[in-house]
Amino acid sequence: VDIHQMTHGLSCILVNALQSYKGENGPVWIDCLSTAENGVTLAIRDTGCGMDGETLAKATQPFFSFRLAGRRRGMGLAHAQRMLTLNGGTLKLASESNKGTTVTVTLPKV
């Protein structure tokens, strides 16, 4: 894997988690588990604004954002998914409005 791509992808997810809070400041939890295939699974969870079903379906599309238009909006999760995919990883989203989001990342053994 390319460590720089992986770091960029994970940092995009963490920034999104922080931005889900009013004032962009709130708790983010990361749970890590080894998988049977000798890889690792990370669950990155926040209790921020969450996403409804329509937003969740579009969340990893480039340039999609529920925020106002501006620089670097709508690329975080798209970049994260691309970086993970290029390195044999996966990204899955689960979210509920006003309750938060969990991003599950599966990474291959290095």
Side-chain angles (χ1 to χ4, degrees):
V1 298
D2 183 312
I3 191 67
H4 300 293
Q5 289 178 346
M6 299 304 287
T7 302
H8 177 70
L10 292 173
S11 69
C12 287
I13 295 167
L14 292 171
V15 167
N16 260 32
L18 289 171
Q19 289 177 344
S20 73
Y21 292 99
K22 194 171 190 171
E24 298 185 359
N25 185 18
V28 176
W29 296 269
I30 302 172
D31 296 313
C32 182
L33 297 169
S34 294
T35 65
E37 297 80 29
N38 295 319
V40 66
T41 297
L42 303 171
I44 302 166
R45 181 174 52 92
D46 65 66
T47 54
C49 64
M51 294 179 267
D52 61 24
E54 182 180 341
T55 302
L56 186 61
K58 297 176 183 177
T60 58
Q61 294 177 3
F63 306 110
F64 175 78
S65 179
F66 67 89
R67 295 172 161 258
L68 297 175
R71 271 187 83 152
R72 301 186 66 165
R73 302 259 189 235
M75 291 303 291
L77 291 177
H79 273 295
Q81 185 172 45
R82 180 70 176 146
M83 295 298 104
L84 293 165
T85 301
L86 285 172
N87 290 280
T90 62
L91 180 147
K92 293 182 183 175
L93 298 171
S95 189
E96 192 173 338
S97 289
N98 301 313
K99 293 195 177 181
T101 300
T102 299
V103 180
T104 303
V105 173
T106 303
L107 304 171
K109 180 180 178 181
V110 178

